[in-house]
Protein backbone atom coordinates (compact mmCIF):
# COMPACT_ATOMS: atom_id res chain seq x y z
CA UNK A 1 0.00 0.00 0.00
CA UNK A 2 1.44 3.36 -1.00
CA UNK A 3 2.13 5.75 1.84
CA UNK A 4 0.05 8.92 1.81
CA UNK A 5 2.13 12.04 1.20
CA UNK A 6 1.69 14.45 4.07
CA UNK A 7 4.58 16.91 3.83
CA UNK A 8 3.87 20.40 2.52
CA UNK A 9 6.89 22.29 3.82
CA UNK A 10 10.28 21.27 5.18
CA UNK A 11 9.48 22.45 8.70
CA UNK A 12 6.10 20.70 8.92
CA UNK A 13 5.45 17.83 11.30
CA UNK A 14 4.27 14.58 9.70
CA UNK A 15 1.77 12.20 11.28
CA UNK A 16 0.92 8.71 10.10
CA UNK A 17 -2.77 8.75 11.08
CA UNK A 18 -5.49 11.36 11.60
CA UNK A 19 -5.80 10.51 15.30
CA UNK A 20 -2.06 11.09 15.84
CA UNK A 21 -2.21 14.77 14.84
CA UNK A 22 -1.23 17.11 17.68
CA UNK A 23 -3.93 19.76 17.31
CA UNK A 24 -2.52 22.00 20.03
CA UNK A 25 0.80 22.16 18.17
CA UNK A 26 -1.03 23.01 14.93
CA UNK A 27 -2.98 25.82 16.59
CA UNK A 28 0.13 27.32 18.21
CA UNK A 29 2.05 27.30 14.90
CA UNK A 30 -0.82 28.94 12.99
CA UNK A 31 -1.42 31.56 15.70
CA UNK A 32 2.24 32.60 15.56
CA UNK A 33 2.02 33.17 11.80
CA UNK A 34 -1.25 35.10 12.19
CA UNK A 35 0.30 37.34 14.85
CA UNK A 36 3.23 38.06 12.51
CA UNK A 37 0.77 38.96 9.72
CA UNK A 38 -0.94 41.48 12.02
CA UNK A 39 2.40 42.99 13.07
CA UNK A 40 3.58 43.32 9.47
CA UNK A 41 0.28 44.91 8.40
CA UNK A 42 0.39 47.45 11.26
CA UNK A 43 3.90 48.41 10.11
CA UNK A 44 2.61 48.77 6.50
CA UNK A 45 5.02 46.06 5.26
CA UNK A 46 2.59 44.65 2.72
CA UNK A 47 5.24 42.57 0.90
CA UNK A 48 5.97 40.82 4.19
CA UNK A 49 2.23 40.28 4.71
CA UNK A 50 1.94 38.48 1.36
CA UNK A 51 5.01 36.34 2.12
CA UNK A 52 3.60 35.30 5.50
CA UNK A 53 0.20 34.56 3.93
CA UNK A 54 1.92 32.30 1.39
CA UNK A 55 3.77 30.50 4.19
CA UNK A 56 0.54 29.97 6.15
CA UNK A 57 -1.48 28.67 3.20
CA UNK A 58 1.30 26.15 2.39
CA UNK A 59 1.70 24.99 5.99
CA UNK A 60 0.74 21.42 6.88
CA UNK A 61 -0.49 22.64 10.27
CA UNK A 62 -2.92 25.10 8.69
CA UNK A 63 -4.14 22.55 6.14
CA UNK A 64 -4.83 20.05 8.92
CA UNK A 65 -6.85 22.65 10.85
CA UNK A 66 -8.79 23.56 7.68
CA UNK A 67 -9.76 19.94 7.08
CA UNK A 68 -10.71 19.52 10.75
CA UNK A 69 -12.95 22.58 10.55
CA UNK A 70 -14.97 21.43 7.54
CA UNK A 71 -15.29 17.84 8.80
CA UNK A 72 -16.38 18.70 12.34
CA UNK A 73 -19.00 21.43 11.77
CA UNK A 74 -22.74 21.00 11.21
CA UNK A 75 -22.39 21.01 7.43
CA UNK A 76 -19.90 18.16 7.26
CA UNK A 77 -22.63 15.72 6.12
CA UNK A 78 -23.76 18.01 3.28
CA UNK A 79 -21.99 17.35 0.00
CA UNK A 80 -21.40 19.66 -2.95
CA UNK A 81 -22.08 18.80 -6.59
CA UNK A 82 -19.51 15.95 -6.48
CA UNK A 83 -21.51 14.30 -3.64
CA UNK A 84 -18.27 13.61 -1.72
CA UNK A 85 -17.91 13.86 2.06
CA UNK A 86 -14.84 13.09 4.14
CA UNK A 87 -16.00 10.62 6.77
CA UNK A 88 -13.11 8.25 7.46
CA UNK A 89 -9.80 9.25 9.13
CA UNK A 90 -7.90 8.11 6.01
CA UNK A 91 -10.03 10.36 3.78
CA UNK A 92 -9.35 13.33 6.07
CA UNK A 93 -5.61 12.62 6.08
CA UNK A 94 -5.53 12.34 2.29
CA UNK A 95 -7.47 15.61 2.01
CA UNK A 96 -4.68 17.49 3.81
CA UNK A 97 -2.19 16.55 1.07
CA UNK A 98 -4.70 17.48 -1.65
CA UNK A 99 -5.01 21.13 -0.55
CA UNK A 100 -2.59 22.59 -3.10
CA UNK A 101 -2.66 25.92 -4.90
CA UNK A 102 -0.98 24.58 -8.04
CA UNK A 103 -3.58 23.22 -10.43
CA UNK A 104 -6.49 24.05 -8.12
CA UNK A 105 -9.82 24.78 -9.84
CA UNK A 106 -12.96 25.14 -7.69
CA UNK A 107 -16.08 23.32 -8.80
CA UNK A 108 -19.44 25.12 -9.23
CA UNK A 109 -21.65 25.51 -6.17
CA UNK A 110 -24.75 23.44 -5.56
CA UNK A 111 -27.58 25.99 -5.32
CA UNK A 112 -30.41 25.43 -2.82
CA UNK A 113 -32.96 27.83 -1.31
CA UNK A 114 -33.89 28.30 2.34
CA UNK A 115 -36.82 30.23 3.79
CA UNK A 116 -36.23 33.63 5.40
CA UNK A 117 -38.24 34.94 8.35
CA UNK A 118 -40.36 37.09 5.99
CA UNK A 119 -41.33 34.05 3.90
CA UNK A 120 -39.03 34.85 0.95
CA UNK A 121 -36.38 32.42 -0.27
CA UNK A 122 -32.66 32.99 0.27
CA UNK A 123 -30.25 31.37 -2.23
CA UNK A 124 -27.53 29.26 -0.61
CA UNK A 125 -24.46 27.97 -2.43
CA UNK A 126 -22.91 24.73 -1.18
CA UNK A 127 -19.25 24.24 -2.19
CA UNK A 128 -17.58 20.84 -2.37
CA UNK A 129 -15.63 19.62 0.66
CA UNK A 130 -12.29 20.44 -1.00
CA UNK A 131 -13.43 23.96 -1.90
CA UNK A 132 -14.66 24.49 1.68
CA UNK A 133 -11.31 23.34 3.05
CA UNK A 134 -9.41 25.64 0.67
CA UNK A 135 -11.61 28.56 1.76
CA UNK A 136 -10.99 27.73 5.42
CA UNK A 137 -7.25 27.61 4.71
CA UNK A 138 -7.09 30.99 2.98
CA UNK A 139 -9.43 32.49 5.58
CA UNK A 140 -6.77 31.80 8.23
CA UNK A 141 -4.45 34.09 6.27
CA UNK A 142 -7.08 36.76 5.53
CA UNK A 143 -8.89 37.00 8.88
CA UNK A 144 -5.98 38.66 10.78
CA UNK A 145 -6.05 41.48 8.21
CA UNK A 146 -9.85 41.74 8.38
CA UNK A 147 -9.64 42.10 12.18
CA UNK A 148 -6.89 44.71 11.93
CA UNK A 149 -8.68 46.91 9.37
CA UNK A 150 -12.30 46.26 10.46
CA UNK A 151 -14.64 48.91 11.89
CA UNK A 152 -14.43 49.02 15.68
CA UNK A 153 -18.21 48.77 16.07
CA UNK A 154 -18.74 45.93 13.59
CA UNK A 155 -19.72 42.73 15.41
CA UNK A 156 -21.05 40.22 12.88
CA UNK A 157 -19.05 37.15 11.80
CA UNK A 158 -15.98 38.24 13.73
CA UNK A 159 -13.93 36.22 16.16
CA UNK A 160 -14.81 36.75 19.86
CA UNK A 161 -17.67 39.15 18.96
CA UNK A 162 -21.39 38.49 19.17
CA UNK A 163 -24.85 40.02 18.97
CA UNK A 164 -24.67 40.66 22.73
CA UNK A 165 -21.71 43.02 22.10
CA UNK A 166 -23.70 44.87 19.42
CA UNK A 167 -26.70 45.31 21.76
CA UNK A 168 -24.41 46.51 24.54
CA UNK A 169 -22.92 49.08 22.16
CA UNK A 170 -26.47 50.30 21.45
CA UNK A 171 -26.89 50.75 25.20
CA UNK A 172 -23.68 52.81 25.36
CA UNK A 173 -24.76 55.03 22.44
CA UNK A 174 -28.44 55.53 23.36
CA UNK A 175 -29.01 55.06 27.10
CA UNK A 176 -27.92 58.45 28.47
CA UNK A 177 -30.20 61.46 28.87
CA UNK A 178 -28.06 63.44 26.40
CA UNK A 179 -27.84 60.55 23.90
CA UNK A 180 -29.17 60.96 20.33
CA UNK A 181 -32.90 60.36 19.91
CA UNK A 182 -33.11 59.36 16.23
CA UNK A 183 -32.01 56.10 14.63
CA UNK A 184 -31.53 55.14 10.99
CA UNK A 185 -32.26 51.41 10.71
CA UNK A 186 -30.29 50.23 7.70
CA UNK A 187 -30.47 47.02 5.73
CA UNK A 188 -28.59 46.19 2.56
CA UNK A 189 -30.54 44.61 -0.28
CA UNK A 190 -29.09 41.19 -1.16
CA UNK A 191 -25.70 42.03 0.32
CA UNK A 192 -23.98 38.73 -0.44
CA UNK A 193 -25.54 38.47 -3.93
CA UNK A 194 -24.50 41.87 -5.29
CA UNK A 195 -21.02 42.75 -4.01
CA UNK A 196 -18.86 43.95 -6.89
CA UNK A 197 -16.24 41.43 -7.98
CA UNK A 198 -14.06 44.24 -9.30
CA UNK A 199 -14.07 46.00 -5.93
CA UNK A 200 -13.17 42.78 -4.10
CA UNK A 201 -10.32 42.02 -6.50
CA UNK A 202 -8.87 45.53 -6.14
CA UNK A 203 -9.20 45.87 -2.36
CA UNK A 204 -8.93 42.46 -0.65
CA UNK A 205 -5.37 41.66 0.40
CA UNK A 206 -5.14 37.97 -0.48
CA UNK A 207 -4.14 35.70 -3.37
CA UNK A 208 -5.91 37.35 -6.34
CA UNK A 209 -5.84 34.22 -8.53
CA UNK A 210 -7.57 32.07 -5.92
CA UNK A 211 -10.08 34.83 -5.08
CA UNK A 212 -10.96 35.30 -8.77
CA UNK A 213 -11.53 31.55 -9.19
CA UNK A 214 -13.94 31.46 -6.24
CA UNK A 215 -15.89 34.49 -7.41
CA UNK A 216 -16.29 33.16 -10.96
CA UNK A 217 -16.86 29.46 -10.26
CA UNK A 218 -20.62 29.60 -11.00
CA UNK A 219 -23.40 27.46 -9.56
CA UNK A 220 -25.60 24.53 -10.58
CA UNK A 221 -29.38 24.74 -10.16
CA UNK A 222 -31.86 22.24 -11.62
CA UNK A 223 -28.95 20.55 -13.42
CA UNK A 224 -28.06 23.77 -15.26
CA UNK A 225 -24.80 25.69 -14.91
CA UNK A 226 -25.05 29.45 -14.30
CA UNK A 227 -22.21 31.96 -14.23
CA UNK A 228 -21.62 34.37 -11.34
CA UNK A 229 -20.94 37.97 -12.37
CA UNK A 230 -21.41 39.55 -8.93
CA UNK A 231 -21.68 38.66 -5.25
CA UNK A 232 -20.07 36.10 -2.98
CA UNK A 233 -21.76 32.73 -2.39
CA UNK A 234 -23.82 32.44 0.79
CA UNK A 235 -22.68 29.17 2.29
CA UNK A 236 -18.98 29.68 1.59
CA UNK A 237 -16.74 29.79 4.67
CA UNK A 238 -14.86 32.87 3.50
CA UNK A 239 -17.95 34.79 2.24
CA UNK A 240 -18.91 36.50 5.54
CA UNK A 241 -15.37 37.87 5.94
CA UNK A 242 -15.33 39.18 2.36
CA UNK A 243 -18.72 40.87 2.94
CA UNK A 244 -17.47 42.40 6.20
CA UNK A 245 -14.36 43.78 4.50
CA UNK A 246 -16.51 45.26 1.74
CA UNK A 247 -18.54 47.19 4.36
CA UNK A 248 -15.58 48.22 6.52
CA UNK A 249 -14.75 51.91 6.21
CA UNK A 250 -18.31 53.17 6.70
CA UNK A 251 -17.60 54.09 10.32
CA UNK A 252 -14.54 56.16 9.39
CA UNK A 253 -16.45 57.83 6.54
CA UNK A 254 -19.19 58.96 8.94
CA UNK A 255 -16.69 60.25 11.50
CA UNK A 256 -14.77 62.22 8.86
CA UNK A 257 -17.92 63.83 7.42
CA UNK A 258 -19.73 64.60 10.69
CA UNK A 259 -17.15 66.00 13.06
CA UNK A 260 -17.89 67.74 16.35
CA UNK A 261 -17.56 71.51 16.26
CA UNK A 262 -15.86 72.46 19.56
CA UNK A 263 -15.69 76.26 19.18
CA UNK A 264 -16.87 78.18 22.25
CA UNK A 265 -19.44 80.22 20.37
CA UNK A 266 -20.98 77.35 18.40
CA UNK A 267 -20.53 73.93 20.05
CA UNK A 268 -22.29 71.29 17.94
CA UNK A 269 -22.21 67.49 17.81
CA UNK A 270 -24.20 65.52 15.22
CA UNK A 271 -24.07 62.45 17.53
CA UNK A 272 -23.40 60.09 14.61
CA UNK A 273 -22.65 56.56 15.84
CA UNK A 274 -22.62 53.34 13.84
CA UNK A 275 -23.36 49.84 15.16
CA UNK A 276 -23.17 47.10 12.53
CA UNK A 277 -23.77 43.36 12.58
CA UNK A 278 -22.96 41.91 9.14
CA UNK A 279 -25.31 43.72 6.69
CA UNK A 280 -27.70 44.99 9.41
CA UNK A 281 -26.77 48.32 10.98
CA UNK A 282 -28.09 51.32 12.84
CA UNK A 283 -26.81 54.91 12.73
CA UNK A 284 -27.76 57.37 15.45
CA UNK A 285 -28.22 61.10 14.87
CA UNK A 286 -29.27 64.32 16.53
CA UNK A 287 -32.26 64.86 14.21
CA UNK A 288 -34.42 63.11 11.64
CA UNK A 289 -33.49 65.68 8.98
CA UNK A 290 -29.76 65.04 9.46
CA UNK A 291 -30.21 61.30 8.97
CA UNK A 292 -32.61 61.66 6.04
CA UNK A 293 -30.88 64.39 4.06
CA UNK A 294 -27.18 63.89 4.80
CA UNK A 295 -26.39 60.50 6.36
CA UNK A 296 -28.59 58.28 4.20
CA UNK A 297 -27.32 59.68 0.84
CA UNK A 298 -23.73 59.32 2.08
CA UNK A 299 -24.31 55.68 3.03
CA UNK A 300 -26.01 55.01 -0.32
CA UNK A 301 -23.01 56.48 -2.18
CA UNK A 302 -20.60 54.38 -0.08
CA UNK A 303 -22.53 51.21 -0.95
CA UNK A 304 -22.89 52.08 -4.64
CA UNK A 305 -19.12 51.91 -5.14
CA UNK A 306 -19.28 48.30 -3.85
CA UNK A 307 -22.24 47.37 -6.05
CA UNK A 308 -24.74 47.49 -3.19
CA UNK A 309 -27.96 49.38 -2.44
CA UNK A 310 -30.07 50.05 0.64
CA UNK A 311 -33.29 48.07 1.01
CA UNK A 312 -36.12 50.64 0.89
CA UNK A 313 -38.42 48.11 2.50
CA UNK A 314 -36.33 47.71 5.67
CA UNK A 315 -34.46 51.03 5.89
CA UNK A 316 -36.32 53.58 8.01
CA UNK A 317 -35.79 56.37 10.56
CA UNK A 318 -37.23 55.91 14.05
CA UNK A 319 -37.39 57.86 17.31
CA UNK A 320 -35.99 56.07 20.34
CA UNK A 321 -39.30 56.43 22.24
CA UNK A 322 -41.09 54.52 19.45
CA UNK A 323 -38.45 51.81 19.66
CA UNK A 324 -36.95 49.57 17.00
CA UNK A 325 -36.04 45.91 16.52
CA UNK A 326 -32.38 45.00 16.03
CA UNK A 327 -30.96 41.44 15.96
CA UNK A 328 -34.06 40.02 17.61
CA UNK A 329 -34.11 42.61 20.41
CA UNK A 330 -36.53 45.47 20.92
CA UNK A 331 -34.68 48.65 21.93
CA UNK A 332 -36.72 51.52 23.29
CA UNK A 333 -36.87 54.29 25.89
CA UNK A 334 -39.87 54.26 28.23
CA UNK A 335 -40.27 57.74 29.75
CA UNK A 336 -36.55 58.33 29.35
CA UNK A 337 -35.48 54.89 30.67
CA UNK A 338 -33.57 52.73 28.19
CA UNK A 339 -34.85 49.12 28.09
CA UNK A 340 -33.82 46.23 25.86
CA UNK A 341 -35.95 43.11 25.71
CA UNK A 342 -36.76 40.26 23.28
CA UNK A 343 -38.77 41.40 20.30
CA UNK A 344 -42.35 40.19 19.79
CA UNK A 345 -41.39 38.54 16.50
CA UNK A 346 -38.61 36.60 18.19
CA UNK A 347 -40.87 35.41 21.01
CA UNK A 348 -43.52 34.31 18.51
CA UNK A 349 -40.95 32.36 16.43
CA UNK A 350 -39.65 30.65 19.58
CA UNK A 351 -43.11 29.65 20.83
CA UNK A 352 -44.11 28.48 17.34
CA UNK A 353 -41.05 26.24 17.29
CA UNK A 354 -41.90 24.79 20.73
CA UNK A 355 -45.50 24.14 19.64
CA UNK A 356 -44.30 22.51 16.44
CA UNK A 357 -42.04 20.11 18.39
CA UNK A 358 -44.88 19.20 20.76
CA UNK A 359 -47.44 18.75 17.95
CA UNK A 360 -45.10 16.51 15.93
CA UNK A 361 -44.40 14.27 18.94
CA UNK A 362 -47.80 13.54 20.44
CA UNK A 363 -47.08 9.90 21.22
CA UNK A 364 -43.43 9.81 22.31
CA UNK A 365 -42.27 9.31 25.88
CA UNK A 366 -42.21 12.28 28.21
CA UNK A 367 -38.46 11.96 28.71
CA UNK A 368 -37.85 12.06 24.94
CA UNK A 369 -40.00 15.18 24.60
CA UNK A 370 -38.01 16.88 27.37
CA UNK A 371 -34.78 16.03 25.52
CA UNK A 372 -36.14 17.64 22.36
CA UNK A 373 -37.37 20.80 24.08
CA UNK A 374 -34.53 21.55 26.51
CA UNK A 375 -31.86 22.58 23.93
CA UNK A 376 -34.35 24.93 22.23
CA UNK A 377 -35.42 26.53 25.52
CA UNK A 378 -31.86 26.83 26.89
CA UNK A 379 -30.54 28.31 23.65
CA UNK A 380 -33.25 30.98 23.50
CA UNK A 381 -32.83 31.83 27.19
CA UNK A 382 -29.04 32.17 26.89
CA UNK A 383 -29.39 34.47 23.88
CA UNK A 384 -31.57 36.92 25.82
CA UNK A 385 -30.17 36.58 29.34
CA UNK A 386 -28.25 39.85 29.00
CA UNK A 387 -31.35 42.03 28.56
CA UNK A 388 -34.54 42.85 30.50
CA UNK A 389 -36.19 39.54 29.69
CA UNK A 390 -37.75 38.48 33.02
CA UNK A 391 -41.32 39.40 32.07
CA UNK A 392 -40.96 37.82 28.61
CA UNK A 393 -39.54 34.63 30.14
CA UNK A 394 -42.50 34.41 32.56
CA UNK A 395 -45.06 34.82 29.78
CA UNK A 396 -43.30 32.29 27.56
CA UNK A 397 -43.07 29.77 30.41
CA UNK A 398 -46.82 30.11 30.92
CA UNK A 399 -47.49 29.46 27.23
CA UNK A 400 -45.23 26.37 27.28
CA UNK A 401 -46.97 25.06 30.42
CA UNK A 402 -50.43 25.34 28.82
CA UNK A 403 -49.19 23.57 25.67
CA UNK A 404 -47.68 20.69 27.65
CA UNK A 405 -50.77 20.43 29.87
CA UNK A 406 -52.90 19.92 26.75
CA UNK A 407 -50.32 17.39 25.46
CA UNK A 408 -50.55 15.46 28.75
CA UNK A 409 -54.36 15.41 28.89
CA UNK A 410 -54.68 14.33 25.27
CA UNK A 411 -52.71 11.15 25.98
CA UNK A 412 -55.15 10.00 28.69
CA UNK A 413 -58.70 11.04 27.73
CA UNK A 414 -60.25 8.61 30.24
CA UNK A 415 -58.20 9.77 33.22
CA UNK A 416 -58.92 12.64 35.58
CA UNK A 417 -56.84 15.79 35.66
CA UNK A 418 -55.45 14.98 39.12
CA UNK A 419 -54.16 11.64 37.84
CA UNK A 420 -52.55 13.33 34.82
CA UNK A 421 -50.95 15.98 37.04
CA UNK A 422 -49.48 13.33 39.37
CA UNK A 423 -48.04 11.38 36.42
CA UNK A 424 -46.41 14.21 34.46
CA UNK A 425 -45.78 16.95 37.05
CA UNK A 426 -43.70 16.74 40.23
CA UNK A 427 -42.35 18.94 42.98
CA UNK A 428 -38.63 19.34 42.30
CA UNK A 429 -36.43 21.33 44.71
CA UNK A 430 -39.50 22.86 46.33
CA UNK A 431 -41.00 23.93 43.00
CA UNK A 432 -44.37 22.35 42.24
CA UNK A 433 -45.90 21.70 38.82
CA UNK A 434 -42.53 20.87 37.25
CA UNK A 435 -42.80 18.90 34.00
CA UNK A 436 -40.41 16.07 34.88
CA UNK A 437 -39.74 12.33 34.76
CA UNK A 438 -38.76 10.43 37.91
CA UNK A 439 -35.55 8.42 37.40
CA UNK A 440 -34.65 5.47 39.58
CA UNK A 441 -31.28 5.78 41.30
CA UNK A 442 -29.38 4.52 44.34
CA UNK A 443 -29.82 7.86 46.11
CA UNK A 444 -33.59 7.80 45.71
CA UNK A 445 -35.68 9.45 43.02
CA UNK A 446 -33.96 11.90 40.69
CA UNK A 447 -35.78 13.88 38.04
CA UNK A 448 -35.17 14.71 34.41
CA UNK A 449 -36.87 18.10 34.26
CA UNK A 450 -37.95 20.50 31.56
CA UNK A 451 -35.89 23.68 31.67
CA UNK A 452 -37.80 26.82 32.58
CA UNK A 453 -36.83 30.12 31.02
CA UNK A 454 -37.15 31.82 34.42
CA UNK A 455 -34.38 29.56 35.78
CA UNK A 456 -31.91 31.58 33.69
CA UNK A 457 -30.32 34.42 35.64
CA UNK A 458 -30.45 37.84 34.00
CA UNK A 459 -26.87 39.08 33.86
CA UNK A 460 -25.50 42.15 32.09
CA UNK A 461 -23.12 41.25 29.27
CA UNK A 462 -19.60 42.70 29.43
CA UNK A 463 -18.81 44.11 25.99
CA UNK A 464 -15.54 43.35 24.28
CA UNK A 465 -13.15 46.29 23.87
CA UNK A 466 -13.89 47.89 20.51
CA UNK A 467 -10.25 48.02 19.40
CA UNK A 468 -9.35 44.50 20.63
CA UNK A 469 -7.79 42.20 18.01
CA UNK A 470 -7.68 38.46 18.86
CA UNK A 471 -4.78 37.90 16.44
CA UNK A 472 -2.60 40.70 17.84
CA UNK A 473 0.03 39.53 20.35
CA UNK A 474 -0.39 42.81 22.27
CA UNK A 475 -3.95 41.74 23.21
CA UNK A 476 -3.05 38.21 24.35
CA UNK A 477 -3.49 38.88 28.09
CA UNK A 478 -6.78 40.67 27.53
CA UNK A 479 -8.27 37.76 25.59
CA UNK A 480 -7.11 35.24 28.19
CA UNK A 481 -9.09 37.17 30.81
CA UNK A 482 -11.97 37.63 28.35
CA UNK A 483 -12.15 33.87 27.68
CA UNK A 484 -12.11 33.10 31.42
CA UNK A 485 -14.85 35.68 32.10
CA UNK A 486 -17.08 34.26 29.35
CA UNK A 487 -16.60 30.71 30.60
CA UNK A 488 -17.42 31.75 34.16
CA UNK A 489 -20.54 33.51 32.93
CA UNK A 490 -21.53 30.37 31.04
CA UNK A 491 -21.00 28.25 34.16
CA UNK A 492 -23.13 30.59 36.29
CA UNK A 493 -20.28 30.89 38.83
CA UNK A 494 -20.02 27.10 39.42
CA UNK A 495 -16.51 27.21 40.84
CA UNK A 496 -15.97 23.42 40.88
CA UNK A 497 -16.35 23.16 37.09
CA UNK A 498 -14.20 26.24 36.60
CA UNK A 499 -11.38 24.74 38.70
CA UNK A 500 -11.67 21.51 36.70
CA UNK A 501 -11.48 23.51 33.47
CA UNK A 502 -8.36 25.35 34.66
CA UNK A 503 -6.74 22.12 35.92
CA UNK A 504 -7.13 20.58 32.45
CA UNK A 505 -5.45 23.66 30.89
CA UNK A 506 -8.85 24.56 29.35
CA UNK A 507 -8.58 21.53 27.03
CA UNK A 508 -10.42 18.25 26.57
CA UNK A 509 -8.16 15.36 27.72
CA UNK A 510 -9.57 13.09 24.98
CA UNK A 511 -9.06 15.17 21.81
CA UNK A 512 -6.75 17.93 23.06
CA UNK A 513 -8.98 20.74 21.68
CA UNK A 514 -10.02 23.75 23.74
CA UNK A 515 -13.22 23.64 25.78
CA UNK A 516 -15.11 26.92 25.41
CA UNK A 517 -18.64 28.12 26.03
CA UNK A 518 -19.39 27.50 22.34
CA UNK A 519 -18.41 23.82 22.45
CA UNK A 520 -20.89 21.37 24.09
CA UNK A 521 -19.21 19.63 27.05
CA UNK A 522 -20.03 17.24 29.87
CA UNK A 523 -18.63 16.18 33.26
CA UNK A 524 -18.02 12.43 33.35
CA UNK A 525 -16.65 9.95 35.90
CA UNK A 526 -13.87 7.69 34.67
CA UNK A 527 -12.49 4.65 36.52
CA UNK A 528 -8.89 5.28 37.54
CA UNK A 529 -7.25 2.53 39.66
CA UNK A 530 -9.50 2.07 42.70
CA UNK A 531 -11.54 5.28 42.41
CA UNK A 532 -13.50 7.41 39.99
CA UNK A 533 -12.19 10.75 38.77
CA UNK A 534 -14.29 13.58 37.30
CA UNK A 535 -13.13 15.12 34.03
CA UNK A 536 -14.52 17.72 31.65
CA UNK A 537 -14.81 16.48 28.04
CA UNK A 538 -16.51 17.52 24.83
CA UNK A 539 -19.92 15.96 24.29
CA UNK A 540 -18.72 14.12 21.16
CA UNK A 541 -15.63 12.84 22.99
CA UNK A 542 -17.86 11.50 25.76
CA UNK A 543 -19.80 9.46 23.23
CA UNK A 544 -16.61 8.12 21.66
CA UNK A 545 -15.10 7.15 24.98
CA UNK A 546 -18.36 5.54 26.14
CA UNK A 547 -18.32 3.37 23.04
CA UNK A 548 -14.69 2.34 23.59
CA UNK A 549 -14.95 2.00 27.37
CA UNK A 550 -12.50 4.83 28.00
CA UNK A 551 -9.66 3.22 26.06
CA UNK A 552 -8.77 6.62 24.59
CA UNK A 553 -7.83 8.07 27.98
Amino acid sequence: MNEIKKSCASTDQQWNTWDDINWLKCEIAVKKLQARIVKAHKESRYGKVKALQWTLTHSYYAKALAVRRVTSNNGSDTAGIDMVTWKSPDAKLSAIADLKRKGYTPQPLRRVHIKKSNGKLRPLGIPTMKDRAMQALYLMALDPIAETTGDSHSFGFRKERSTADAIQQCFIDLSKTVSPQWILEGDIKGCFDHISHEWLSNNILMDKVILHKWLKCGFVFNKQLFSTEEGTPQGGIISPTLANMALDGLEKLLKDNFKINRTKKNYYTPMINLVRYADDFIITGISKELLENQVKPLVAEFLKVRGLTLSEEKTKITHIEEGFDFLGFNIRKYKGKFITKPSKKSRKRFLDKVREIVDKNKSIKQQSLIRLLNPVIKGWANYYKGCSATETFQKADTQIFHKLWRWSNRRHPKKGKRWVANKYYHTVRGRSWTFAVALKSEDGNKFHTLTRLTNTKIKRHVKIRSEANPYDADWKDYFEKHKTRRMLSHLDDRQFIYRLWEKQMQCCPVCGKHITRETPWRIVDIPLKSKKVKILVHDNCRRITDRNKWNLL
Side-chain angles (χ1 to χ4, degrees), residues 185-204:
E185 303 172 59
D187 185 88
I188 300 168
K189 187 175 181 179
C191 179
F192 284 86
D193 300 328
H194 300 297
I195 298 176
S196 167
H197 286 181
E198 183 182 356
W199 190 93
L200 289 174
S201 298
N202 294 336
N203 293 275
I204 302 298

Side-chain angles (χ1 to χ4, degrees), residues 74-340:
N74 293 333
S76 60
D77 295 331
T78 306
I81 62 166
D82 59 355
M83 305 309 292
V84 173
T85 56
W86 297 332
K87 293 288 187 183
S88 67
D90 287 342
K92 296 174 186 178
L93 198 67
S94 299
I96 298 175
D98 287 340
L99 299 184
K100 298 177 182 177
R101 181 184 184 278
K102 187 176 181 180
Y104 169 68
T105 302
Q107 296 188 56
L109 308 171
R110 181 162 69 90
R111 173 64 64 89
V112 296
H113 291 87
I114 57 173
K115 271 191 177 182
K116 297 168 68 174
S117 58
N118 59 5
K120 294 182 179 179
L121 294 176
R122 171 181 284 141
L124 192 68
I126 303 175
T128 63
M129 292 296 287
K130 182 175 179 179
D131 293 338
R132 275 179 252 175
M134 285 292 284
Q135 288 189 22
L137 177 63
Y138 278 84
L139 178 59
M140 291 182 208
L142 179 63
D143 208 31
I145 298 170
E147 287 291 334
T148 306
T149 60
D151 289 344
S152 59
H153 294 156
S154 165
F155 300 98
F157 302 114
R158 292 182 64 181
K159 195 173 180 180
E160 303 295 341
R161 300 189 179 213
S162 64
T163 52
D165 293 309
I167 297 302
Q168 196 61 21
Q169 185 61 45
C170 292
F171 174 82
I172 293 169
D173 292 339
L174 296 166
S175 62
K176 302 180 184 67
T177 308
V178 294
S179 296
Q181 303 293 305
W182 292 93
I183 298 95
L184 170 67
E185 303 172 59
D187 185 88
I188 300 168
K189 187 175 181 179
C191 179
F192 284 86
D193 300 328
H194 300 297
I195 298 176
S196 167
H197 286 181
E198 183 182 356
W199 190 93
L200 289 174
S201 298
N202 294 336
N203 293 275
I204 302 298
L205 188 56
M206 68 169 288
D207 191 316
K208 306 294 184 186
V209 175
I210 295 293
L211 177 61
H212 184 266
K213 286 181 178 181
W214 283 335
L215 295 176
K216 300 296 183 182
C217 68
F219 65 90
V220 173
F221 183 63
N222 287 339
K223 298 182 180 181
Q224 289 187 335
L225 178 64
F226 297 88
S227 61
T228 47
E229 300 302 327
E230 60 181 5
T232 60
Q234 291 192 58
I237 289 177
I238 203 170
S239 296
T241 302
L242 293 177
N244 258 341
M245 295 183 78
L247 298 175
D248 285 333
L250 179 58
E251 187 174 353
K252 185 178 184 301
L253 178 70
L254 292 170
K255 285 182 178 178
D256 291 344
N257 281 270
F258 300 98
K259 294 181 180 179
I260 299 174
N261 186 344
R262 297 186 181 276
T263 59
K264 291 182 179 179
K265 292 183 178 180
N266 186 24
Y267 182 84
Y268 170 77
T269 173
M271 296 187 178
I272 300 295
N273 301 296
L274 170 73
V275 181
R276 181 168 66 83
Y277 190 94
D279 59 338
D280 292 325
F281 61 89
I282 65 162
I283 301 174
T284 68
I286 197 170
S287 67
K288 183 177 182 179
E289 291 72 21
L290 176 68
L291 294 174
E292 182 70 48
N293 301 328
Q294 298 183 48
V295 174
K296 190 176 177 180
L298 186 66
V299 173
E301 186 63 30
F302 172 86
L303 295 175
K304 186 178 179 181
V305 176
R306 291 152 176 80
L308 302 171
T309 56
L310 284 172
S311 170
E312 295 297 331
E313 172 186 346
K314 297 181 181 179
T315 302
K316 52 188 177 181
I317 298 172
T318 315
H319 195 274
I320 189 63
E321 291 188 357
E322 295 176 15
F324 62 97
D325 290 347
F326 185 52
L327 306 177
F329 294 80
N330 179 260
I331 300 172
R332 184 178 174 184
K333 272 189 176 179
Y334 295 84
K335 297 181 180 179
K337 186 177 181 181
F338 183 91
I339 294 179
T340 305

Side-chain angles (χ1 to χ4, degrees), residues 524-541:
V524 295
D525 293 319
I526 62 166
L528 189 65
K529 295 181 180 179
S530 59
K531 61 179 182 178
K532 288 187 176 181
V533 177
K534 291 186 182 296
I535 62 169
L536 206 63
V537 298
H538 290 122
D539 199 24
N540 288 336
C541 295

